[in-house]
Amino acid sequence: MYSGGLSEPPLDGGILGPLFTCLIGDQFIRLKYGDSFWYERRIGPQRFTKPQLEQIYNTLLSSVICRNSDHVTFAQRYAMKRSSSTNLLEDCAHLDTFDFT
């Protein structure tokens, strides 16, 4: 399975083929619904307000990488997509727009 997954051509706009895309997607879904502290939960004291959720939804993975990595000053806007003319490196100062208030 591993060698077959590595030999698959990537999906349009992606870096992985169909097998690894399916496996990783399935794992994320299982983590999301199995985690009692998942940020989108609507019950319990750990739930976020609607404005807080909107701020989270508007956050890019590249912004999280920039904010939490040492010596990273540039990143692609869409970190999980292949580099292209529409997904070039950008200054981290422009990517990190998270408002902690």
Side-chain angles (χ1 to χ4, degrees):
M1 185 171 95
Y2 183 73
S3 58
L6 288 176
S7 67
E8 289 182 328
L11 294 173
D12 288 340
I15 58 174
L16 298 174
L19 177 65
F20 286 151
T21 299
C22 180
L23 290 174
I24 292 171
D26 179 67
Q27 184 63 49
F28 274 112
I29 287 171
R30 290 172 187 266
L31 287 169
K32 177 180 177 176
Y33 291 113
D35 185 354
S36 62
F37 293 102
W38 185 255
Y39 72 95
E40 291 175 308
R41 290 183 64 89
R42 296 176 184 201
I43 58 173
Q46 72 276 11
R47 69 180 179 271
F48 288 105
T49 64
K50 284 187 180 187
Q52 289 172 324
L53 282 174
E54 286 177 19
Q55 184 68 43
I56 292 169
Y57 292 149
N58 291 327
T59 300
L60 298 168
L61 177 59
S62 56
S63 166
V64 174
I65 292 170
C66 286
R67 191 179 316 119
N68 294 291
S69 300
D70 294 332
H71 311 295
V72 173
T73 56
F74 292 92
Q76 292 175 189
R77 176 170 289 278
Y78 305 105
M80 299 298 278
K81 289 195 174 188
R82 180 182 302 206
S83 180
S84 68
S85 61
T86 59
N87 193 27
L88 298 173
L89 289 175
E90 295 186 38
D91 190 335
C92 284
H94 299 296
L95 294 172
D96 193 10
T97 58
F98 195 84
D99 181 10
F100 286 95
T101 59

